[in-house]
Amino acid sequence: MSTIAPYEKGHWGTRLLINVVTVVVGLVWILPFLWMLSTALKTKPEIFHFPPQWLPNSLYLGNFTAAFEAAPFGLYYLNSFIIAAVTTVLTVLAASMAGYAMARLPYRGSNVVIAGLLATTMIPFQVLLIPFFITMTALHLVNTLPGLILAYLAIFLPFAIFMFRAYFADMPREVEESARMDGSSWFGVYWRIAMPMARPAVAAVAIYTFIESWNEYFIALTMTSSDERRTLPVGLAAFLNQSAGIDWGQLMASSVAASVPAVIVFLIMQRQIIAGLTGGAVKG
């Protein structure tokens, strides 16, 4: 009996159903972004026109310039980029070293450690807001960028370590053993051999960490109290709650500007994300 899936056999009904479902799901996900982009490019009369119109009569860029003049979004961008970039680099380095050690260096209680990592990923990060704030207050890191970076590291490291550990455990050992026999240290094997082979996992962890750090709101809201330290999501929320009323064109323009970097990064690196997430899925 053939074990080829119906889709691979070329059954037109199955292919049609899968394609229709894929298109519908894709439209459901992309329509809000397209509407946000359309609103950002409309004048105020076009925004409140009834019935609503999808396409603006002309491309109006005044909402973008007005939004960046109404609030220091350039500073918010800089803060978000610094926090996301530093968090990403530190997470990749620390998690890859820990994951490689857990996969290649046997030790007692390894299963307990792995179970503990999995358990920490199941804790809602909102539960950690008060402990984070108390700890950062004691360290005098409230309303600072290093404080936010440390908080994000605490959140993202367990999942990243688990991903790297699964990927390294699934990698063949022959090349690493040859390097060890030639006198290379464990760190040399990790840096020169294991890390280049784990590029899909590195890309997946880096992109996941960057996007999550870029979009995170609750911890940044709790840990910052001044405009100089606000991140982009917190700045957008403050812009939304301004007492003068909501200018929907400016709000949508600033939201588009905030989401574009994450969308571009994801679209460019989506194959690496899938490869990294599936790496080690069988043996890890």
Side-chain angles (χ1 to χ4, degrees):
M1 180 180 295
S2 174
T3 59
I4 301 177
Y7 187 88
E8 295 176 349
K9 288 182 179 179
H11 192 279
W12 69 269
T14 302
R15 294 203 309 270
L16 178 62
L17 177 62
I18 293 176
N19 290 335
V20 169
V21 172
T22 302
V23 170
V24 171
V25 173
L27 287 176
V28 169
W29 281 97
I30 199 173
L31 278 178
F33 179 80
L34 294 179
W35 181 253
M36 179 174 66
L37 178 60
S38 174
T39 304
L41 297 173
K42 292 177 181 177
T43 61
K44 188 170 294 186
E46 290 176 317
I47 293 175
F48 294 100
H49 184 273
F50 187 84
Q53 57 187 51
W54 269 99
L55 298 177
N57 296 328
S58 61
L59 298 182
Y60 176 66
L61 301 179
N63 290 323
F64 289 90
T65 56
F68 276 81
E69 291 174 358
F73 283 106
L75 181 60
Y76 300 158
Y77 255 97
L78 179 62
N79 291 340
S80 290
F81 180 78
I82 292 174
I83 291 171
V86 175
T87 301
T88 299
V89 172
L90 294 179
T91 299
V92 169
L93 289 176
S96 61
M97 286 190 283
Y100 185 75
M102 293 173 65
R104 289 294 188 259
L105 303 177
Y107 57 94
R108 291 184 179 179
S110 59
N111 293 331
V112 176
V113 174
I114 295 172
L117 286 175
L118 285 175
T120 58
T121 61
M122 301 175 187
I123 301 175
F125 71 88
Q126 291 86 351
V127 178
L128 305 174
L129 285 176
I130 294 178
F132 277 156
F133 187 81
I134 294 174
T135 302
M136 296 307 166
T137 300
L139 297 174
H140 304 286
L141 291 175
V142 174
N143 198 36
T144 65
L145 300 189
L148 276 177
I149 292 170
L150 288 176
Y152 292 159
L153 281 173
I155 292 174
F156 301 137
L157 268 178
F159 176 72
I161 291 173
F162 184 77
M163 279 191 61
F164 273 115
R165 183 257 171 195
Y167 200 91
F168 286 132
D170 198 34
M171 285 172 47
R173 297 173 176 262
E174 289 76 10
V175 179
E176 299 170 74
E177 292 173 352
S178 298
R180 286 288 294 163
M181 293 179 62
D182 291 337
S184 179
S185 63
W186 276 115
F187 182 82
V189 174
Y190 150 79
W191 187 252
R192 296 186 180 91
I193 298 175
M195 283 296 281
M197 294 175 65
R199 281 179 294 181
V202 172
V205 170
I207 296 167
Y208 166 80
T209 305
F210 185 89
I211 293 178
E212 290 295 315
S213 302
W214 182 271
N215 293 329
E216 200 283 322
Y217 171 75
F218 288 104
I219 294 177
L221 176 65
T222 304
M223 299 285 293
T224 58
S225 57
S226 65
D227 250 2
E228 292 75 16
R229 295 294 181 266
R230 278 178 175 168
T231 60
L232 202 51
V234 179
L236 284 175
F239 189 74
L240 176 64
N241 296 326
Q242 58 185 341
S243 58
I246 301 174
D247 189 311
W248 290 105
Q250 295 182 25
L251 179 61
M252 294 299 104
S254 56
S255 299
V256 168
S259 59
V260 164
V263 171
I264 292 176
V265 169
F266 179 82
L267 290 177
I268 294 176
M269 305 296 289
Q270 57 182 323
R271 291 186 179 180
Q272 285 81 354
I273 293 177
I274 296 172
L277 290 174
T278 56
V282 176
K283 295 183 181 179

